Structures are given as structure tokens and as C-alpha cells.
Amino acid sequence: MTLAQSGRWLTGIGLLLLGGVYVRALAFTPVELHQGPAQKIFYVHVPAAWSSMLAMGLVGLASILYLLVRDTRYDRFAAASAEVGTVFACVMLTTGPLWAKPVWGTWWTWDARLTLTLMLFFIFIGYQLLRGAVTDPALRARYAAVVGICGLVLLPFIHLSVYLFRTLHPQPIVLKPSAPSAPPEMVTTLLLSVGVFSLLYLGFVIQRYALGGGGAARNV
Amino acid sequence: MLWARDLGHAFGAIPALDGITFSLERGQTLAIFGPNGAGKTTLLRVIAGLIRPLRGAAGVDGGRRAIGWIGHQTQLYNHLTVRENLRFWASLYDVPERDVALREDDLLRRLGLARQADQQVRTLSRGQTQRAAIARALMHDPDVLLLDEPFTGLDRLAAEELRGLLGDQAAAGRATVIVTHNVEEGTELATDIAFMRDGRFVAYAPRAGRDAVALTAAYRTAVASG
Amino acid sequence: MADLLRHAWLVTRKDLRLEFRSRTALTSALVFTALVLVVFEHGRDPTAVPTLNLAPSILWVTFSFAAMLALNRAFQAELENQALDGLLLAPISRTSLYWGKLGANLVFVALVQVTGLLLFMLFFNVPVWRVWAPLAAVTALATVGFIAVGTLFSAMVVRTRFAELMLPVLLLPFLLPPLIAAVQVTVPLFAGRPLSEVAGWFRLLAAYDVCFVTLATLLFPFTVTE
């Protein structure tokens, strides 16, 4: 089976499972007390956020590896991961406000996590734009790697500075020192969703990687 | 003095160098002839250390300090004077203070730029900037000269002066590589000749007293058959 | 190490001399700074929002935009006659080249900031003199980290299409932590609060600077060597 085919299989399975997770989320998971049905977006929003962070992390890692060994496969992977990451970031940035409006009463707020995710989106966009503006493949790979690494290192600083600034986002309910404070069904649904999104990430990246190219503008 | 071993390089899918091996000793001048796209400039850039080749290696004894480069571009700053340019580049090569003024005056005089010394480069004519570029390259008294079509844009007087300078360099034991697509230019100076095509040397031999006409004929044969 | 700094200083000095000679970027940056301040002045309702609340934001937005304008000039001059090749051929380390450029950029931006601050005091009548030392400190700290990344990016961007647009787009996320920290220090500073309250922000800025100057120094060679 070729790489592209395995990618398509993974994506297919992922989408099917995604459907399954939705059904579970909508029908078999309790409705949250304070937020109501709108809270269900949580099961899409959080995994999308997680996937975009994963994508960025892998872009950074692949960039470092590329600069060390100059294997173009790392560059192709970074490009694929960045594209997929951008898509997930978009999902995250659209589902977020859809969730926020009914629950918080506002579409957007500048707390630590939102600002971080918005900046992550901008870093992805900048990365893509740079790739598109350079025609020479070797140059493009090097430039992209530099930006990818800088972007990755930047994220903790953004998080820290905005966190010190203000916090409004719901406090973590799963990844915190004490036991998760949500009912087990919700946690399970969330974890299932995260798993499925990771699978989708993998499927998308493999397909994109298999398509090849580095993303330069067409008119060479 | 300078060497290359099995150099291979490509720009993406476009091959540029394909197995170049040679070496040059003191006092030798190699003239490389070849059509556009043969890889001549790439070869020079690899030897100079500006490009890291995908395959093989090349080097110059003494490292970057020993290299003087004259190419298509003058590498001068338009808003600095000729003198300021020369001094800046000399300082990067750690040329001793006392030598700077001497060499500066000598080179400017020989290249006919004495009166333009304190003019900004942007006010000079094309030929004058080319000559200033030559001065820049020689300020730090390099052991190895890498020349990429150095006679382009030079008027007859300046071309003669450059030939004289290069002759002095060779006599003083410097090694020189001249890349050109014009057989007449490099001939008298060369001790060795190479013909390059498609990233390879299709011929490499001592000049053995041949003149431009003979070399042009040899070049045509080599390029046609190689 | 001494060589490293000496060569860096030579590059900085050359850059500054070039900039003062041509003055194009400096003039644009100063005019732009004045314009932005005027726009802010007329864009607000003085009866609704007291100057003191808005002042830090105005100051820092102005600084940010002016800095971005300044960054583009850094490598433009090197492309004119491919002087960049000359810098890469010279026996100076890539680090010297980067620090030299960084130094010149910092001097340049500092000049624009000082002028901006004077104009700011003039237009907005904010009592800045009392706190000029901590203000200078936070400005310096916030600027260094941001310009370090900016210098690195400008080396890449100068060879791409839409360079003037690409740089701000890439740099904007990197502006955020220094900007937030700087404003968070400046607000209590103007309001007369003690420095101890903002010590945490100073630490964040210092960490950001150390981190990104180091990272940029390490990554710079990859942007210039083929």
C-alpha cells in the first residue's frame, strides 16, 4: 500500500470514528450543568486545539532535524504538518467563539489561552506565507526551518506573558494535578475525541506528505 | 594551494556539478572555459566556501583569509567612498594598519582611481566601479584569486592593467582560477586550461604555448564531442 | 571572542556610517513615528480617556512600528552589489556578522525611540522625566529580544517576494511578549508605583532576551550559507 493510500485509509477510519464520537457526545454523554448543550462543542474544540499544538510541536522538531541532517523528508513533513495544523487551528478558532458566545456572553476575550492559540494561528500563517514566497527548494526549507523553530520556542513565552496578564478561560478540568473533576463519561468522550483527532492529524499529514512538494507558489 | 575532489552539486532538480576533481599549486593559473550554465560560477562558489556541495569537498590553503574574489557583482557599498570601501574590507581581513594606506595608494594608482578615491561609489562609472572591485579584492594580498568573468565591463586600459596585475600575482607565487566564456581573455595568463560543460571537465591540460586561436579550435572539438 | 566582537563592531560601524550617509530609512522612521503620535492624539477623545491610561500603549505601538520599519534596511544595502557575498567570503564568523547587524539595528532603533519619546512628551504632556531610568531599562530590554528575532528574519525576508509585508507578518507574534511586558511595566511606572511591583516582568523580559538572542545567533548561519 502506498503512503498516500495508507493516509487515505487512516483519514477514512478517523472520519468514521469522528462520527461515532459525535453520536456519543450528543446522545450518550450527560449535558453539562451550567453551560447547557453548547458545552458539547468542547469535544471538538479541545481536540482541535490539541491537534494544532501537536502539529506545531512536530513542525519545530522536524525543523531542527532538517537543519541538523538536511534530509528533505523532514522538510516535507514540516510543511505537511504546518498545513494540517493550520486547518485544525481554524477549527479551533471557529468552534471557540461558537462555544464562548452562549457560555460567556462574548465572542472573544484576550486571556492567556485564546491569545496563545491566535498567535499559534498567526505563526502557522506566517510560516505558510514564507514558504510560498521562496521558489528555491533548499532555501525554502532552510528559511521555513528557522521560522518553525523560532515559532515553537515563542509559544511558552506567549503563554507565560499573557497568563501573568489575565485569565478568564475555564480552568483545566482534565490536565491538572488532582483527579479530573468532570464526570467519567465526559472525560471518556473527550479522550476518545482527542484520540480520533490525533488519528485524523496523522491521516491528513501522511496524505499531504505523500503529495509532496514544499508549497511554493505555482509560477516558477 | 587549492583543491577540489569529486565535487557534486545540484540546485533542486537541476544538476550543476558532476564530479570535478583538480588541484592547483603556487604560481599556476587555471583558465576554465565553458558555455553559460556549465557550472563554472557554481564551481568557484564551492571552492570559495559560499556553497556547501552535496557531494565531495574543496578547499583553499589558508582558508577564507587567503581568497580574493572578483565576480560579476562589485561587492561595494554605493554610499561609501572608494577609500572607505577598501578600508572596510581590509579591516575584515585584519590587514595591518601600516600596510593599508600603502596598498590602497598603490592599487588606486595602478587602476587609475587615484582621483576618485574620496568619491562615493555611486558616482563612479561602470568601468570605474569594476576597477574599484579589483582593488577591493587585492587589498588583503590574497594567495588565491578566484575570478568570475573579471574582464566584463572593463575598458581596454583597465583590462590591460588587470592582466598586468594578474601576471604580477602569478609571478609572486599566487594561484589563480579564471572562469570565462571568452577564450581570448584568459589565454595569455593561463598555465593550465580546462573546458567545462554540464558540470564536468571535458578537457584539462597545460596550455603548452597554445594561443587563443588554437584553444578556440580545441574548445569547439572538446565541447562538441565531450 | 575578542575577534568576534571586533569584527562585529566593524560591521556595525559600517552599517551606521552607511545609514547616516544615505539617511533614507532613518528619515522615514522618524517621520513615521511623528505621524503615528499625531494620529493617536487626534484619534482619541481627551475628555473620555485620561492620557496617562493610554500613554504606555501609544508609546509602545509607536516603538513597535518604527522598529519594524528600521529592520528592513539592515540587509537591503548588502544586496545592492552583492556585498553580502563579500561578508560571507571574509574571514569573519557568521556570528560576527549577525551581532554586527544586530548592533547597528539596536543603535538605529534606539535613536528612533529617543526621538519618539521626546515627541511623545511634547505632544502628550506626560511626566516622563521622573522615571526615565527604569523606562530606559524596560525599553532596552523589550527592544533587544524583538530586534534579535527581527534581524534574523530580515536576513531571510530580504530575498523573498513581498519583503516589506513578510517581515511584519512573521514578526508580529514575536512582538507580543515584549510588548505586554513593556506596557505592564510602563503603566505603573507612569502612575508612580514602586519598581518592586514589576520585577517579575523585568525577569520575563530578560529571559526572553537571553533566549532569543542565543537562538537567533545559532540560527543565523542557516539563513546565509547555501
Side-chain angles (χ1 to χ4, degrees):
Chain A
M1 193 189 290
T2 70
L3 204 57
Q5 283 176 318
S6 46
R8 277 195 280 272
W9 269 104
L10 271 176
T11 311
I13 295 171
L15 288 171
L16 273 173
L17 289 176
L18 189 67
V21 167
Y22 279 148
V23 167
R24 190 199 150 89
L26 289 170
F28 296 103
T29 313
V31 177
E32 210 266 354
L33 191 61
H34 303 288
Q35 299 177 33
Q39 183 267 349
K40 305 265 184 186
I41 299 178
F42 168 80
Y43 299 114
V44 174
H45 175 74
V46 171
W50 149 254
S51 294
S52 59
M53 301 272 184
L54 174 69
M56 185 69 218
L58 290 177
V59 167
L61 192 64
S63 297
I64 294 173
L65 287 171
Y66 174 76
L67 288 182
L68 286 176
V69 295
R70 300 296 176 104
D71 187 339
T72 49
R73 286 175 299 178
Y74 288 125
D75 175 59
R76 269 172 63 191
F77 178 80
S81 190
E83 278 194 31
V84 175
T86 312
V87 170
F88 281 122
C90 287
V91 170
M92 168 187 68
L93 286 173
T94 41
T95 53
L98 284 177
W99 180 19
K101 185 66 176 157
V103 176
W104 293 339
T106 176
W107 293 110
W108 185 263
T109 180
W110 291 101
D111 86 329
R113 218 162 300 163
L114 268 84
T115 311
L116 178 66
T117 53
L118 186 65
M119 287 302 116
L120 176 64
F121 177 70
F122 282 138
I123 292 172
F124 275 136
I125 295 292
Y127 182 90
Q128 309 272 52
L129 281 175
L130 183 65
R131 289 199 78 103
V134 182
T135 39
D136 174 34
L139 197 66
R140 183 173 62 223
R142 272 185 293 128
Y143 280 8
V146 168
V147 171
I149 296 171
C150 287
L152 185 62
V153 173
L154 177 68
L155 290 177
F157 278 105
I158 294 183
H159 180 78
L160 199 60
S161 51
V162 186
Y163 178 74
L164 290 175
F165 191 27
R166 40 171 135 182
T167 315
L168 180 64
H169 213 92
Q171 295 304 311
I173 58 169
V174 178
L175 287 174
K176 59 175 195 175
S178 55
S181 53
E185 296 94 341
M186 285 189 171
V187 175
T188 318
T189 310
L190 178 65
L191 289 177
L192 281 175
S193 194
V194 169
V196 169
F197 266 76
S198 304
L199 197 66
L200 279 174
Y201 166 80
L202 208 59
F204 287 144
V205 168
I206 290 176
Q207 283 187 74
R208 183 63 188 84
Y209 179 87
L211 278 174
R218 278 281 142 226
N219 52 328
V220 174
Chain B
M1 270 239 130
L2 84 86
W3 56 274
R5 196 175 53 234
D6 193 34
L7 286 178
H9 195 69
F11 295 108
I14 306 167
L17 295 177
D18 186 14
I20 299 272
T21 303
F22 76 100
S23 69
L24 223 57
E25 298 307 318
R26 301 177 62 81
Q28 283 187 299
T29 301
L30 172 68
I32 304 180
F33 302 116
N36 288 334
K40 312 190 294 294
T41 305
T42 310
L43 175 59
L44 235 49
R45 289 177 77 90
V46 170
I47 296 172
L50 287 174
I51 299 178
R52 232 174 49 169
L54 291 171
R55 195 180 79 229
V60 171
D61 291 343
R64 283 183 277 164
R65 193 175 298 281
I67 299 175
W69 174 284
I70 301 174
H72 300 291
Q73 300 271 20
T74 59
Q75 295 175 12
L76 298 167
Y77 292 105
N78 285 345
H79 285 85
L80 294 183
T81 67
V82 176
R83 211 186 282 277
E84 281 168 344
N85 265 291
L86 295 183
R87 296 233 167 139
F88 170 66
W89 291 110
S91 70
L92 289 185
Y93 285 86
D94 301 321
V95 176
E97 277 295 320
R98 58 177 184 278
D99 292 342
V100 173
L102 282 169
R103 268 191 229 157
E104 192 180 87
D105 289 330
D106 179 51
L107 284 167
L108 288 175
R109 192 179 36 83
R110 292 192 68 169
L111 289 160
L113 288 170
R115 273 184 304 146
Q116 286 81 14
D118 295 302
Q119 277 180 262
Q120 287 187 17
V121 168
R122 63 194 171 98
T123 62
L124 301 181
S125 71
R126 173 106 173 86
Q128 286 170 330
T129 46
Q130 282 294 111
R131 284 183 265 145
I134 296 168
R136 180 198 51 76
L138 297 174
M139 270 302 283
H140 60 281
D141 202 24
D143 288 335
V144 171
L145 277 179
L146 302 175
L147 309 168
D148 192 357
E149 319 228 10
F151 293 96
T152 323
L154 290 182
D155 56 43
R156 209 169 39 83
L157 239 59
E160 263 178 50
E161 196 51 63
L162 177 59
R163 268 192 277 271
L165 275 166
L166 292 178
D168 291 347
Q169 293 281 325
R174 314 284 196 266
T176 309
V177 179
I178 303 178
V179 146
T180 178
H181 61 265
N182 183 334
V183 179
E184 277 84 37
E185 278 174 358
T187 351
E188 328 158 358
L189 303 159
T191 57
D192 296 82
I193 308 279
F195 297 145
M196 193 168 173
R197 206 189 68 166
D198 297 329
R200 279 175 292 118
F201 280 157
V202 293
Y204 189 117
R207 182 161 70 91
R210 285 174 286 178
D211 65 3
V213 176
L215 283 172
T216 313
Y219 176 55
R220 291 228 178 85
T221 336
V223 167
S225 62
Chain C
M1 187 61 176
D3 277 345
L4 211 63
L5 291 171
R6 189 165 47 86
H7 290 148
W9 165 243
L10 288 170
V11 174
T12 302
R13 201 178 61 172
K14 181 266 301 175
D15 262 35
L16 290 176
R17 181 175 290 167
L18 265 177
E19 189 47 51
F20 286 116
R21 214 47 87 66
S22 65
R23 266 191 300 276
T24 42
L26 190 62
T27 323
S28 321
L30 291 176
V31 169
F32 182 79
T33 305
L35 274 173
V36 170
L37 288 171
V38 169
V39 168
F40 269 118
E41 168 60 29
H42 293 282
R44 69 185 181 95
D45 178 359
T47 57
V49 188
T51 316
L52 213 56
N53 288 9
L54 221 49
S57 312
I58 296 173
L59 192 65
W60 283 103
V61 169
T62 312
F63 281 173
S64 309
F65 283 141
M68 294 225 243
L69 215 63
L71 284 171
N72 266 317
R73 43 134 245 108
F75 285 93
Q76 287 282 2
E78 309 300 347
L79 288 191
E80 254 175 354
N81 296 311
Q82 273 303 334
L84 185 62
D85 270 355
L87 289 171
L88 296 173
L89 281 166
I92 62 171
S93 79
R94 305 294 184 250
T95 305
S96 292
L97 179 55
Y98 172 70
W99 284 358
K101 287 289 175 187
L102 178 61
N105 278 341
L106 287 174
V107 170
F108 187 83
V109 171
L111 269 167
V112 176
Q113 285 175 333
V114 166
T115 315
L117 192 60
L118 290 172
L119 287 174
F120 173 78
M121 279 165 33
L122 203 69
F123 290 168
F124 292 88
N125 209 20
V126 176
V128 163
W129 282 123
R130 287 183 285 117
V131 293
W132 76 268
L135 185 62
V138 74
T139 309
L141 279 177
T143 309
V144 165
F146 168 58
I147 297 289
V149 179
T151 306
L152 175 69
F153 284 1
S154 69
M156 295 192 289
V157 145
V158 81
R159 275 186 273 184
T160 65
R161 313 187 314 196
F162 314 123
E164 285 82 26
L165 187 59
M166 191 68 66
L167 190 59
V169 170
L170 286 175
L171 214 45
L172 218 69
F174 293 88
L175 183 55
L176 211 68
L179 187 61
I180 292 174
V183 171
Q184 288 306 299
V185 170
T186 315
V187 168
L189 215 57
F190 281 174
R193 312 287 308 154
L195 268 181
S196 52
E197 279 184 14
V198 292
W201 290 111
F202 271 100
R203 277 199 291 271
L204 181 67
L205 281 174
Y208 187 86
D209 288 353
V210 167
C211 183
F212 278 102
V213 170
T214 312
L215 188 62
T217 307
L218 287 172
L219 290 177
F220 180 76
F222 294 105
T223 63
V224 284
T225 5
E226 284 178 73

